[in-house]
Amino acid sequence: MEKKDITAQTTVRAIITGFVSYGTISVFIMLCLYAVLENLLSNFKGTSTTGLYITIPLMAVILLFLVLHLVCKLSTYDVFKKCKTNIDNYKTINKFMNIFFIACIIVVIFIFTQLLNLNLKFQLASMEYSLMQYENVFSEGHITMLHEKMRSQFNASKINLTISTTILSIGTALSFLSLIPYQRKMITKYNEV
């Protein structure tokens, strides 16, 4: 069966569509795994979990790296399974794919930052609400002690969440940047088959 000739723009659109489709499926599966892992780790709430704020994001970044490369490979393979493009289009295709990957980095880092900000605001509001509730029950001295304890827990949580978010942001950025040469290689490989 002879492959259909497609333009650079059609190739870029098809690869991005496949990347987004496979990526959405992968994100859903990863979120399900995260929910199961979170449920299992909830049994360890009494123990020190500071190391988990580093270990889990590192594991997530490694998994993300592998999944992104698989998604990139599948989306490129799907396009060139039935189609081919002129070798002269490679430069244009790679340019637009690079822009797409950089846009993905910006969006993901923005989302991670906003989620961190939202989480910290929620924790702070929850702490303030608890203190308001305690005013009806405890003495002022006890409330001051509770406030100090809650403030120190919030500060520890803030540091841990910021470290996790930083690891995830840097790891995600590096994973997407590693797709730039990988995508070029996949286009060359599958277009020539």
Side-chain angles (χ1 to χ4, degrees):
M1 182 173 91
E2 192 166 322
K3 293 182 176 183
K4 178 183 171 186
D5 248 344
I6 56 175
T7 65
Q9 290 79 9
T10 305
T11 305
V12 169
R13 259 194 312 268
I15 291 173
I16 290 174
T17 301
F19 190 88
V20 170
S21 300
Y22 285 122
T24 303
I25 293 167
S26 300
V27 165
F28 177 74
I29 292 169
M30 287 177 69
L31 286 175
C32 289
L33 288 173
Y34 176 77
V36 169
L37 184 63
E38 183 74 23
N39 190 27
L40 291 173
L41 290 176
S42 67
N43 298 330
F44 297 108
K45 289 243 186 220
T47 62
S48 174
T49 56
T50 305
L52 295 177
Y53 285 100
I54 296 173
T55 307
I56 291 176
L58 284 174
M59 289 173 22
V61 164
I62 292 168
L63 181 62
L64 179 68
F65 177 87
L66 297 172
V67 167
L68 281 177
H69 279 73
L70 178 64
V71 166
C72 181
K73 185 175 187 169
L74 286 172
S75 61
T76 308
Y77 173 75
D78 271 356
V79 172
F80 291 114
K81 183 170 50 176
K82 297 178 183 175
C83 303
K84 65 179 180 176
T85 191
N86 191 328
I87 295 173
D88 298 334
N89 294 336
Y90 284 6
K91 186 175 182 182
T92 305
I93 294 167
N94 288 323
K95 181 178 99 174
F96 284 111
M97 290 307 299
N98 294 351
I99 292 169
F100 171 71
F101 292 140
I102 290 170
C104 288
I105 292 170
I106 292 168
V107 168
V108 168
I109 289 176
F110 177 77
I111 290 170
F112 283 157
T113 305
Q114 292 306 311
L115 287 174
L116 172 65
N117 190 28
L118 186 65
N119 191 343
L120 292 176
K121 282 182 180 179
F122 177 76
Q123 285 185 19
L124 201 54
S126 177
M127 183 178 74
E128 289 170 1
Y129 178 75
S130 295
L131 286 172
M132 282 177 25
Q133 295 296 316
Y134 293 154
E135 286 177 1
N136 299 330
V137 179
F138 299 113
S139 68
E140 194 172 315
H142 191 67
I143 291 173
T144 305
M145 184 185 73
L146 287 172
H147 183 264
E148 304 249 340
K149 184 177 179 184
M150 291 170 100
R151 177 59 75 178
S152 96
Q153 287 174 343
F154 171 76
N155 287 335
S157 175
K158 182 178 178 180
I159 290 168
N160 289 334
L161 289 172
T162 303
I163 289 170
S164 291
T165 302
T166 303
I167 291 169
L168 286 171
S169 297
I170 292 171
T172 301
L174 291 176
S175 295
F176 271 105
L177 287 174
S178 73
L179 289 179
I180 292 174
Y182 187 73
Q183 178 70 61
R184 196 173 307 130
K185 181 178 158 187
M186 292 296 102
I187 290 170
T188 304
K189 177 181 178 182
Y190 291 122
N191 190 45
E192 292 175 357
V193 173

